PDB file of all heavy atoms in Angstrom:
ATOM      1  N   GLY B   1     123.825 124.821  94.240  1.00 96.00           N
ATOM      2  CA  GLY B   1     123.848 124.672  92.794  1.00 96.00           C
ATOM      3  C   GLY B   1     124.012 123.242  92.333  1.00 96.00           C
ATOM      4  O   GLY B   1     124.360 122.990  91.173  1.00 96.00           O
ATOM      5  N   GLU B   2     123.729 122.297  93.219  1.00 97.00           N
ATOM      6  CA  GLU B   2     123.905 120.883  92.875  1.00 97.00           C
ATOM      7  C   GLU B   2     122.683 120.288  92.182  1.00 97.00           C
ATOM      8  O   GLU B   2     122.797 119.262  91.504  1.00 97.00           O
ATOM      9  CB  GLU B   2     124.216 120.068  94.134  1.00 97.00           C
ATOM     10  CG  GLU B   2     125.434 120.550  94.911  1.00 97.00           C
ATOM     11  CD  GLU B   2     126.714 120.524  94.090  1.00 97.00           C
ATOM     12  OE1 GLU B   2     126.800 119.745  93.119  1.00 97.00           O
ATOM     13  OE2 GLU B   2     127.632 121.287  94.428  1.00 97.00           O
ATOM     14  N   VAL B   3     121.521 120.903  92.362  1.00 98.00           N
ATOM     15  CA  VAL B   3     120.308 120.410  91.721  1.00 98.00           C
ATOM     16  C   VAL B   3     119.651 121.525  90.924  1.00 98.00           C
ATOM     17  O   VAL B   3     119.840 122.717  91.205  1.00 98.00           O
ATOM     18  CB  VAL B   3     119.306 119.841  92.756  1.00 98.00           C
ATOM     19  CG1 VAL B   3     119.874 118.606  93.424  1.00 98.00           C
ATOM     20  CG2 VAL B   3     118.926 120.897  93.782  1.00 98.00           C
ATOM     21  N   ALA B   4     118.892 121.134  89.919  1.00 98.00           N
ATOM     22  CA  ALA B   4     118.237 122.090  89.022  1.00 98.00           C
ATOM     23  C   ALA B   4     116.759 122.218  89.355  1.00 98.00           C
ATOM     24  O   ALA B   4     116.158 121.303  89.935  1.00 98.00           O
ATOM     25  CB  ALA B   4     118.400 121.626  87.572  1.00 98.00           C
ATOM     26  N   PRO B   5     116.156 123.339  88.987  1.00 98.00           N
ATOM     27  CA  PRO B   5     114.704 123.429  89.109  1.00 98.00           C
ATOM     28  C   PRO B   5     114.059 122.307  88.292  1.00 98.00           C
ATOM     29  O   PRO B   5     114.625 121.856  87.287  1.00 98.00           O
ATOM     30  CB  PRO B   5     114.376 124.804  88.513  1.00 98.00           C
ATOM     31  CG  PRO B   5     115.652 125.566  88.563  1.00 98.00           C
ATOM     32  CD  PRO B   5     116.742 124.551  88.393  1.00 98.00           C
ATOM     33  N   VAL B   6     112.884 121.873  88.713  1.00 98.00           N
ATOM     34  CA  VAL B   6     112.187 120.794  88.017  1.00 98.00           C
ATOM     35  C   VAL B   6     111.038 121.379  87.201  1.00 98.00           C
ATOM     36  O   VAL B   6     110.246 122.169  87.702  1.00 98.00           O
ATOM     37  CB  VAL B   6     111.643 119.752  89.015  1.00 98.00           C
ATOM     38  CG1 VAL B   6     110.728 118.759  88.309  1.00 98.00           C
ATOM     39  CG2 VAL B   6     112.788 119.028  89.697  1.00 98.00           C
ATOM     40  N   ASN B   7     110.978 120.983  85.948  1.00 98.00           N
ATOM     41  CA  ASN B   7     109.854 121.364  85.097  1.00 98.00           C
ATOM     42  C   ASN B   7     108.722 120.380  85.374  1.00 98.00           C
ATOM     43  O   ASN B   7     108.678 119.291  84.824  1.00 98.00           O
ATOM     44  CB  ASN B   7     110.261 121.317  83.628  1.00 98.00           C
ATOM     45  CG  ASN B   7     109.175 121.853  82.704  1.00 98.00           C
ATOM     46  OD1 ASN B   7     108.008 121.953  83.094  1.00 98.00           O
ATOM     47  ND2 ASN B   7     109.544 122.188  81.481  1.00 98.00           N
ATOM     48  N   THR B   8     107.818 120.771  86.252  1.00 98.00           N
ATOM     49  CA  THR B   8     106.757 119.851  86.661  1.00 98.00           C
ATOM     50  C   THR B   8     105.796 119.521  85.529  1.00 98.00           C
ATOM     51  O   THR B   8     105.066 118.525  85.604  1.00 98.00           O
ATOM     52  CB  THR B   8     105.975 120.422  87.859  1.00 98.00           C
ATOM     53  OG1 THR B   8     105.446 121.707  87.521  1.00 98.00           O
ATOM     54  CG2 THR B   8     106.890 120.561  89.076  1.00 98.00           C
ATOM     55  N   ASP B   9     105.799 120.331  84.464  1.00 98.00           N
ATOM     56  CA  ASP B   9     104.957 120.025  83.307  1.00 98.00           C
ATOM     57  C   ASP B   9     105.413 118.736  82.620  1.00 98.00           C
ATOM     58  O   ASP B   9     104.645 118.117  81.872  1.00 98.00           O
ATOM     59  CB  ASP B   9     104.990 121.175  82.299  1.00 98.00           C
ATOM     60  CG  ASP B   9     104.264 122.408  82.809  1.00 98.00           C
ATOM     61  OD1 ASP B   9     103.439 122.279  83.724  1.00 98.00           O
ATOM     62  OD2 ASP B   9     104.543 123.515  82.288  1.00 98.00           O
ATOM     63  N   LEU B  10     106.667 118.350  82.869  1.00 98.00           N
ATOM     64  CA  LEU B  10     107.213 117.141  82.256  1.00 98.00           C
ATOM     65  C   LEU B  10     107.018 115.913  83.145  1.00 98.00           C
ATOM     66  O   LEU B  10     107.447 114.816  82.798  1.00 98.00           O
ATOM     67  CB  LEU B  10     108.706 117.331  81.960  1.00 98.00           C
ATOM     68  CG  LEU B  10     109.073 118.531  81.074  1.00 98.00           C
ATOM     69  CD1 LEU B  10     110.582 118.571  80.855  1.00 98.00           C
ATOM     70  CD2 LEU B  10     108.334 118.477  79.752  1.00 98.00           C
ATOM     71  N   VAL B  11     106.397 116.117  84.295  1.00 98.00           N
ATOM     72  CA  VAL B  11     106.145 115.025  85.241  1.00 98.00           C
ATOM     73  C   VAL B  11     104.633 114.894  85.370  1.00 98.00           C
ATOM     74  O   VAL B  11     103.991 115.548  86.192  1.00 98.00           O
ATOM     75  CB  VAL B  11     106.796 115.319  86.607  1.00 98.00           C
ATOM     76  CG1 VAL B  11     106.581 114.155  87.572  1.00 98.00           C
ATOM     77  CG2 VAL B  11     108.291 115.594  86.441  1.00 98.00           C
ATOM     78  N   SER B  12     104.051 114.050  84.551  1.00 98.00           N
ATOM     79  CA  SER B  12     102.596 114.001  84.441  1.00 98.00           C
ATOM     80  C   SER B  12     101.906 113.637  85.755  1.00 98.00           C
ATOM     81  O   SER B  12     100.781 114.072  86.012  1.00 98.00           O
ATOM     82  CB  SER B  12     102.187 113.013  83.342  1.00 98.00           C
ATOM     83  OG  SER B  12     102.644 111.698  83.637  1.00 98.00           O
ATOM     84  N   ASN B  13     102.558 112.856  86.591  1.00 98.00           N
ATOM     85  CA  ASN B  13     101.932 112.447  87.850  1.00 98.00           C
ATOM     86  C   ASN B  13     101.989 113.529  88.931  1.00 98.00           C
ATOM     87  O   ASN B  13     101.360 113.386  89.978  1.00 98.00           O
ATOM     88  CB  ASN B  13     102.591 111.172  88.375  1.00 98.00           C
ATOM     89  CG  ASN B  13     102.222 109.947  87.549  1.00 98.00           C
ATOM     90  OD1 ASN B  13     101.052 109.680  87.303  1.00 98.00           O
ATOM     91  ND2 ASN B  13     103.229 109.218  87.087  1.00 98.00           N
ATOM     92  N   TYR B  14     102.709 114.606  88.666  1.00 98.00           N
ATOM     93  CA  TYR B  14     102.837 115.675  89.655  1.00 98.00           C
ATOM     94  C   TYR B  14     101.484 116.289  89.999  1.00 98.00           C
ATOM     95  O   TYR B  14     101.243 116.698  91.137  1.00 98.00           O
ATOM     96  CB  TYR B  14     103.785 116.752  89.149  1.00 98.00           C
ATOM     97  CG  TYR B  14     104.050 117.877  90.132  1.00 98.00           C
ATOM     98  CD1 TYR B  14     104.913 117.688  91.210  1.00 98.00           C
ATOM     99  CD2 TYR B  14     103.447 119.124  89.982  1.00 98.00           C
ATOM    100  CE1 TYR B  14     105.167 118.712  92.115  1.00 98.00           C
ATOM    101  CE2 TYR B  14     103.696 120.153  90.885  1.00 98.00           C
ATOM    102  CZ  TYR B  14     104.557 119.944  91.946  1.00 98.00           C
ATOM    103  OH  TYR B  14     104.794 120.960  92.840  1.00 98.00           O
ATOM    104  N   LYS B  15     100.588 116.331  89.022  1.00 98.00           N
ATOM    105  CA  LYS B  15      99.272 116.945  89.244  1.00 98.00           C
ATOM    106  C   LYS B  15      98.487 116.247  90.339  1.00 98.00           C
ATOM    107  O   LYS B  15      97.582 116.833  90.951  1.00 98.00           O
ATOM    108  CB  LYS B  15      98.467 116.943  87.943  1.00 98.00           C
ATOM    109  CG  LYS B  15      98.039 115.567  87.449  1.00 98.00           C
ATOM    110  CD  LYS B  15      97.284 115.647  86.148  1.00 98.00           C
ATOM    111  CE  LYS B  15      96.773 114.272  85.697  1.00 98.00           C
ATOM    112  NZ  LYS B  15      97.863 113.284  85.543  1.00 98.00           N
ATOM    113  N   ASP B  16      98.817 114.974  90.606  1.00 98.00           N
ATOM    114  CA  ASP B  16      98.077 114.197  91.589  1.00 98.00           C
ATOM    115  C   ASP B  16      98.754 114.152  92.957  1.00 98.00           C
ATOM    116  O   ASP B  16      98.290 113.471  93.863  1.00 98.00           O
ATOM    117  CB  ASP B  16      97.876 112.770  91.074  1.00 98.00           C
ATOM    118  CG  ASP B  16      97.027 112.734  89.815  1.00 98.00           C
ATOM    119  OD1 ASP B  16      96.014 113.451  89.774  1.00 98.00           O
ATOM    120  OD2 ASP B  16      97.390 111.997  88.876  1.00 98.00           O
ATOM    121  N   VAL B  17      99.851 114.902  93.109  1.00 98.00           N
ATOM    122  CA  VAL B  17     100.526 114.983  94.401  1.00 98.00           C
ATOM    123  C   VAL B  17      99.680 115.838  95.345  1.00 98.00           C
ATOM    124  O   VAL B  17      99.103 116.852  94.943  1.00 98.00           O
ATOM    125  CB  VAL B  17     101.936 115.592  94.241  1.00 98.00           C
ATOM    126  CG1 VAL B  17     102.542 115.935  95.605  1.00 98.00           C
ATOM    127  CG2 VAL B  17     102.846 114.629  93.484  1.00 98.00           C
ATOM    128  N   PHE B  18      99.606 115.430  96.606  1.00 97.00           N
ATOM    129  CA  PHE B  18      98.862 116.203  97.592  1.00 97.00           C
ATOM    130  C   PHE B  18      99.357 117.647  97.609  1.00 97.00           C
ATOM    131  O   PHE B  18     100.570 117.894  97.626  1.00 97.00           O
ATOM    132  CB  PHE B  18      99.036 115.600  98.991  1.00 97.00           C
ATOM    133  CG  PHE B  18      98.281 114.320  99.201  1.00 97.00           C
ATOM    134  CD1 PHE B  18      98.953 113.109  99.279  1.00 97.00           C
ATOM    135  CD2 PHE B  18      96.904 114.325  99.340  1.00 97.00           C
ATOM    136  CE1 PHE B  18      98.264 111.923  99.495  1.00 97.00           C
ATOM    137  CE2 PHE B  18      96.198 113.148  99.552  1.00 97.00           C
ATOM    138  CZ  PHE B  18      96.875 111.938  99.620  1.00 97.00           C
ATOM    139  N   ASP B  19      98.437 118.591  97.610  1.00 95.00           N
ATOM    140  CA  ASP B  19      98.812 120.005  97.624  1.00 95.00           C
ATOM    141  C   ASP B  19      99.651 120.354  98.844  1.00 95.00           C
ATOM    142  O   ASP B  19     100.484 121.261  98.792  1.00 95.00           O
ATOM    143  CB  ASP B  19      97.564 120.884  97.598  1.00 95.00           C
ATOM    144  CG  ASP B  19      96.854 120.851  96.245  1.00 95.00           C
ATOM    145  OD1 ASP B  19      97.509 120.484  95.244  1.00 95.00           O
ATOM    146  OD2 ASP B  19      95.656 121.193  96.197  1.00 95.00           O
ATOM    147  N   GLY B  20      99.439 119.626  99.933  1.00 92.00           N
ATOM    148  CA  GLY B  20     100.190 119.895 101.154  1.00 92.00           C
ATOM    149  C   GLY B  20     101.671 119.603 101.043  1.00 92.00           C
ATOM    150  O   GLY B  20     102.436 119.934 101.952  1.00 92.00           O
ATOM    151  N   LEU B  21     102.097 118.991  99.938  1.00 94.00           N
ATOM    152  CA  LEU B  21     103.509 118.696  99.728  1.00 94.00           C
ATOM    153  C   LEU B  21     104.140 119.529  98.621  1.00 94.00           C
ATOM    154  O   LEU B  21     105.360 119.480  98.428  1.00 94.00           O
ATOM    155  CB  LEU B  21     103.683 117.205  99.383  1.00 94.00           C
ATOM    156  CG  LEU B  21     103.551 116.235 100.556  1.00 94.00           C
ATOM    157  CD1 LEU B  21     103.463 114.799 100.043  1.00 94.00           C
ATOM    158  CD2 LEU B  21     104.716 116.388 101.509  1.00 94.00           C
ATOM    159  N   LYS B  22     103.342 120.297  97.911  1.00 95.00           N
ATOM    160  CA  LYS B  22     103.860 121.065  96.778  1.00 95.00           C
ATOM    161  C   LYS B  22     104.355 122.442  97.198  1.00 95.00           C
ATOM    162  O   LYS B  22     103.749 123.106  98.040  1.00 95.00           O
ATOM    163  CB  LYS B  22     102.764 121.237  95.715  1.00 95.00           C
ATOM    164  CG  LYS B  22     102.368 119.960  95.006  1.00 95.00           C
ATOM    165  CD  LYS B  22     101.278 120.242  93.963  1.00 95.00           C
ATOM    166  CE  LYS B  22     100.895 119.010  93.183  1.00 95.00           C
ATOM    167  NZ  LYS B  22      99.819 119.266  92.214  1.00 95.00           N
ATOM    168  N   LEU B  23     105.466 122.862  96.582  1.00 93.00           N
ATOM    169  CA  LEU B  23     106.003 124.209  96.745  1.00 93.00           C
ATOM    170  C   LEU B  23     106.156 124.602  98.210  1.00 93.00           C
ATOM    171  O   LEU B  23     105.726 125.667  98.639  1.00 93.00           O
ATOM    172  CB  LEU B  23     105.128 125.226  96.005  1.00 93.00           C
ATOM    173  CG  LEU B  23     105.063 125.056  94.475  1.00 93.00           C
ATOM    174  CD1 LEU B  23     104.109 126.068  93.872  1.00 93.00           C
ATOM    175  CD2 LEU B  23     106.452 125.182  93.855  1.00 93.00           C
ATOM    176  N   LYS B  24     106.798 123.710  98.964  1.00 88.00           N
ATOM    177  CA  LYS B  24     107.106 123.992 100.356  1.00 88.00           C
ATOM    178  C   LYS B  24     108.532 124.515 100.485  1.00 88.00           C
ATOM    179  O   LYS B  24     109.329 124.436  99.553  1.00 88.00           O
ATOM    180  CB  LYS B  24     106.891 122.734 101.200  1.00 88.00           C
ATOM    181  CG  LYS B  24     105.438 122.259 101.194  1.00 88.00           C
ATOM    182  CD  LYS B  24     104.492 123.348 101.667  1.00 88.00           C
ATOM    183  CE  LYS B  24     103.048 122.903 101.629  1.00 88.00           C
ATOM    184  NZ  LYS B  24     102.120 123.973 102.048  1.00 88.00           N
ATOM    185  N   GLN B  25     108.853 125.014 101.670  1.00 79.00           N
ATOM    186  CA  GLN B  25     110.144 125.678 101.834  1.00 79.00           C
ATOM    187  C   GLN B  25     111.321 124.739 101.634  1.00 79.00           C
ATOM    188  O   GLN B  25     112.403 125.164 101.275  1.00 79.00           O
ATOM    189  CB  GLN B  25     110.223 126.344 103.213  1.00 79.00           C
ATOM    190  CG  GLN B  25     111.397 127.304 103.345  1.00 79.00           C
ATOM    191  CD  GLN B  25     111.447 127.980 104.691  1.00 79.00           C
ATOM    192  OE1 GLN B  25     110.672 127.674 105.584  1.00 79.00           O
ATOM    193  NE2 GLN B  25     112.372 128.904 104.850  1.00 79.00           N
ATOM    194  N   TRP B  26     111.106 123.432 101.873  1.00 85.00           N
ATOM    195  CA  TRP B  26     112.205 122.487 101.721  1.00 85.00           C
ATOM    196  C   TRP B  26     112.333 121.938 100.295  1.00 85.00           C
ATOM    197  O   TRP B  26     113.276 121.214 100.005  1.00 85.00           O
ATOM    198  CB  TRP B  26     112.060 121.333 102.712  1.00 85.00           C
ATOM    199  CG  TRP B  26     110.821 120.514 102.530  1.00 85.00           C
ATOM    200  CD1 TRP B  26     110.668 119.421 101.712  1.00 85.00           C
ATOM    201  CD2 TRP B  26     109.562 120.715 103.161  1.00 85.00           C
ATOM    202  NE1 TRP B  26     109.386 118.943 101.795  1.00 85.00           N
ATOM    203  CE2 TRP B  26     108.682 119.709 102.685  1.00 85.00           C
ATOM    204  CE3 TRP B  26     109.076 121.648 104.084  1.00 85.00           C
ATOM    205  CZ2 TRP B  26     107.362 119.612 103.099  1.00 85.00           C
ATOM    206  CZ3 TRP B  26     107.757 121.541 104.499  1.00 85.00           C
ATOM    207  CH2 TRP B  26     106.920 120.541 104.015  1.00 85.00           C
ATOM    208  N   ASN B  27     111.389 122.262  99.383  1.00 91.00           N
ATOM    209  CA  ASN B  27     111.518 121.741  98.013  1.00 91.00           C
ATOM    210  C   ASN B  27     111.256 122.796  96.945  1.00 91.00           C
ATOM    211  O   ASN B  27     111.040 122.454  95.781  1.00 91.00           O
ATOM    212  CB  ASN B  27     110.593 120.534  97.795  1.00 91.00           C
ATOM    213  CG  ASN B  27     109.114 120.846  98.031  1.00 91.00           C
ATOM    214  OD1 ASN B  27     108.667 121.978  97.865  1.00 91.00           O
ATOM    215  ND2 ASN B  27     108.357 119.830  98.411  1.00 91.00           N
ATOM    216  N   SER B  28     111.303 124.076  97.330  1.00 90.00           N
ATOM    217  CA  SER B  28     111.083 125.135  96.354  1.00 90.00           C
ATOM    218  C   SER B  28     111.727 126.428  96.832  1.00 90.00           C
ATOM    219  O   SER B  28     112.050 126.574  98.017  1.00 90.00           O
ATOM    220  CB  SER B  28     109.580 125.371  96.136  1.00 90.00           C
ATOM    221  OG  SER B  28     109.001 125.946  97.304  1.00 90.00           O
ATOM    222  N   VAL B  29     111.900 127.348  95.909  1.00 87.00           N
ATOM    223  CA  VAL B  29     112.385 128.695  96.226  1.00 87.00           C
ATOM    224  C   VAL B  29     111.627 129.675  95.340  1.00 87.00           C
ATOM    225  O   VAL B  29     111.577 129.499  94.118  1.00 87.00           O
ATOM    226  CB  VAL B  29     113.906 128.835  95.977  1.00 87.00           C
ATOM    227  CG1 VAL B  29     114.355 130.284  96.238  1.00 87.00           C
ATOM    228  CG2 VAL B  29     114.694 127.887  96.875  1.00 87.00           C
ATOM    229  N   ASP B  30     111.027 130.679  95.937  1.00 87.00           N
ATOM    230  CA  ASP B  30     110.282 131.692  95.185  1.00 87.00           C
ATOM    231  C   ASP B  30     109.267 131.068  94.228  1.00 87.00           C
ATOM    232  O   ASP B  30     109.172 131.445  93.064  1.00 87.00           O
ATOM    233  CB  ASP B  30     111.240 132.602  94.413  1.00 87.00           C
ATOM    234  CG  ASP B  30     112.045 133.501  95.344  1.00 87.00           C
ATOM    235  OD1 ASP B  30     111.568 133.782  96.459  1.00 87.00           O
ATOM    236  OD2 ASP B  30     113.152 133.909  94.964  1.00 87.00           O
ATOM    237  N   GLN B  31     108.534 130.073  94.740  1.00 91.00           N
ATOM    238  CA  GLN B  31     107.489 129.399  93.985  1.00 91.00           C
ATOM    239  C   GLN B  31     108.002 128.599  92.779  1.00 91.00           C
ATOM    240  O   GLN B  31     107.241 128.246  91.874  1.00 91.00           O
ATOM    241  CB  GLN B  31     106.424 130.395  93.515  1.00 91.00           C
ATOM    242  CG  GLN B  31     105.659 131.063  94.650  1.00 91.00           C
ATOM    243  CD  GLN B  31     104.825 130.060  95.433  1.00 91.00           C
ATOM    244  OE1 GLN B  31     103.893 129.469  94.905  1.00 91.00           O
ATOM    245  NE2 GLN B  31     105.147 129.862  96.700  1.00 91.00           N
ATOM    246  N   VAL B  32     109.288 128.314  92.770  1.00 95.00           N
ATOM    247  CA  VAL B  32     109.881 127.464  91.735  1.00 95.00           C
ATOM    248  C   VAL B  32     110.175 126.103  92.350  1.00 95.00           C
ATOM    249  O   VAL B  32     110.896 126.004  93.355  1.00 95.00           O
ATOM    250  CB  VAL B  32     111.180 128.073  91.176  1.00 95.00           C
ATOM    251  CG1 VAL B  32     111.847 127.102  90.202  1.00 95.00           C
ATOM    252  CG2 VAL B  32     110.885 129.404  90.504  1.00 95.00           C
ATOM    253  N   ALA B  33     109.599 125.053  91.775  1.00 96.00           N
ATOM    254  CA  ALA B  33     109.802 123.699  92.301  1.00 96.00           C
ATOM    255  C   ALA B  33     111.209 123.206  92.011  1.00 96.00           C
ATOM    256  O   ALA B  33     111.702 123.332  90.885  1.00 96.00           O
ATOM    257  CB  ALA B  33     108.782 122.746  91.691  1.00 96.00           C
TER     258      ALA B  33
END
């Protein structure tokens, strides 16, 4: 509970992140970034 989910819609550069790094087990839970 030390970090909050991230609203990726508020991070405009997120769309250009390699898909291979998005929503992985070490940075997401149940498809929530």
Side-chain angles (χ1 to χ4, degrees):
E2 303 301 336
V3 294
V6 171
N7 186 342
T8 57
D9 290 340
L10 304 181
V11 182
S12 61
N13 288 309
Y14 183 77
K15 68 181 184 302
D16 297 317
V17 169
F18 286 108
D19 289 339
L21 284 169
K22 292 180 177 178
L23 297 177
K24 297 303 178 182
Q25 193 179 6
W26 62 88
N27 59 28
S28 69
V29 176
D30 291 335
Q31 296 295 295
V32 174

